[in-house]
Amino acid sequence: MRTEPVPSPLPPAIPRRLRERPGPLPAASLLQLIWLASPALPVGGFSYSEGLESAVEHGLLRDEATVGDWLLDQLHLGQARGDMAVLARAVGAWRRGDLAQVRALNDWVLHTRESSELRLQTEQMGRSLSEWLRNQHPPDATPPHITEQIAALAQLPPSYPVAFALTAARTQAPVREILCAYAFGWAENMVQAALKSMPLGQSAGQRILARLAVAIPDAAAQAAALPDGARQAFTPMLAILSAQHETQYSRLFRS
């Protein structure tokens, strides 16, 4: 007697939020993610180099290859293990209305910045995105629960990953796509910082960005699957370079 094979379930190691959506992402949600990832978003990301300008000053970054390697390491060792992992948890917390977890995640970001420059960056960008979100949702045209969440965000004070999470949580996008959008926006800002800090052409910048684009989906999957206890912010050389940048004599980027 023949029986129909029973489809095997997804392995337990793959979180539910990584499973494929039934159907394409709605156009409105896709456009919202593109908007959030855009360097034109008025949050000031273009004004920071996150230690890159200091690395150029110290001769650690010399050409296209060293910049690409630097940013790939920063993506996997810094972003995926820290801010992107926070973002993955914060999206779910906002969608559930779990403000206690939102506050805990926001505190983690603020307490783990390894230099005052990095903390000021996430605070400033978080405030700017919070203000942008408030302007996009006037109280008289916004459901009360969204207005309450925006007010709760402003009172934290918000870090950038937690503010980004609330903005993206309002879309229908799954966590993995949100993480990819966040990481690509970060990558564009960092590549532009490299182009401004050293003699690299636009073609070199596009090749670096292509390397990062290939790596971002894996970094997003790593961040989404990371347990809370494994989240970390430990990039000693980046912290040293960021601290040195605060007093660097000649600099283009904000300190």
Side-chain angles (χ1 to χ4, degrees):
M1 178 179 177
R2 297 182 60 187
T3 59
E4 292 295 327
V6 178
S8 59
L10 287 170
I14 301 179
R16 180 175 298 176
R17 58 184 171 275
L18 291 182
R19 302 180 188 182
E20 293 295 327
R21 284 178 57 87
L25 185 65
S29 292
L30 175 60
L31 289 172
Q32 188 74 10
L33 289 186
I34 293 172
W35 193 356
L36 289 175
S38 171
L41 195 71
V43 296
F46 66 90
S47 62
Y48 299 97
S49 75
E50 299 186 21
L52 186 145
E53 187 176 29
S54 185
V56 173
E57 175 76 10
H58 288 81
L60 300 176
L61 302 183
R62 302 174 301 277
D63 50 28
E64 177 184 336
T66 53
V67 171
D69 291 344
W70 168 275
L71 293 179
L72 282 171
D73 285 345
Q74 196 170 342
L75 172 67
H76 288 293
L77 300 177
Q79 292 291 331
R81 298 191 306 179
D83 286 4
M84 288 172 66
V86 167
L87 174 59
R89 292 288 186 270
V91 168
W94 282 120
R95 286 174 171 169
R96 295 190 307 273
D98 187 351
L99 294 182
Q101 186 178 26
V102 167
R103 284 191 293 270
L105 291 167
N106 193 72
D107 287 345
W108 187 90
V109 174
L110 297 180
H111 294 161
T112 57
R113 299 301 88 172
E114 295 182 290
S115 71
S116 60
E117 179 180 86
L118 293 173
R119 174 156 177 164
L120 289 171
Q121 176 184 350
T122 198
E123 289 177 333
Q124 180 271 303
M125 292 178 65
R127 287 194 306 270
S128 296
L129 186 54
S130 176
E131 183 66 18
W132 177 88
L133 186 60
R134 187 183 65 81
N135 289 334
Q136 293 292 314
H137 296 85
D140 57 349
T142 304
H145 73 282
I146 295 179
T147 301
E148 291 170 3
Q149 286 191 328
I150 293 172
L153 175 68
Q155 292 171 4
L156 285 174
S159 64
Y160 184 59
V162 171
F164 192 100
L166 176 57
T167 309
R170 305 271 57 85
T171 72
Q172 297 181 45
V175 168
R176 190 170 185 270
E177 275 77 354
I178 292 171
L179 292 174
C180 286
Y182 178 90
F184 191 78
W186 167 83
E188 281 199 296
N189 280 325
M190 289 299 96
V191 168
Q192 287 302 311
L195 295 182
K196 294 172 185 176
S197 300
M198 57 194 302
L200 287 175
Q202 292 292 334
S203 295
Q206 289 299 299
R207 288 191 294 269
I208 295 169
L209 193 58
R211 291 180 65 187
L212 290 165
V214 170
I216 281 172
D218 285 344
Q222 174 190 356
L226 201 67
D228 285 337
R231 189 170 60 242
Q232 58 182 289
F234 183 67
T235 49
M237 180 56 72
L238 184 63
I240 292 169
L241 290 169
S242 175
Q244 291 175 335
H245 184 255
E246 295 171 9
T247 57
Q248 188 171 315
Y249 173 72
S250 177
R251 56 187 185 270
L252 296 173
F253 294 94
R254 190 168 178 176
S255 179

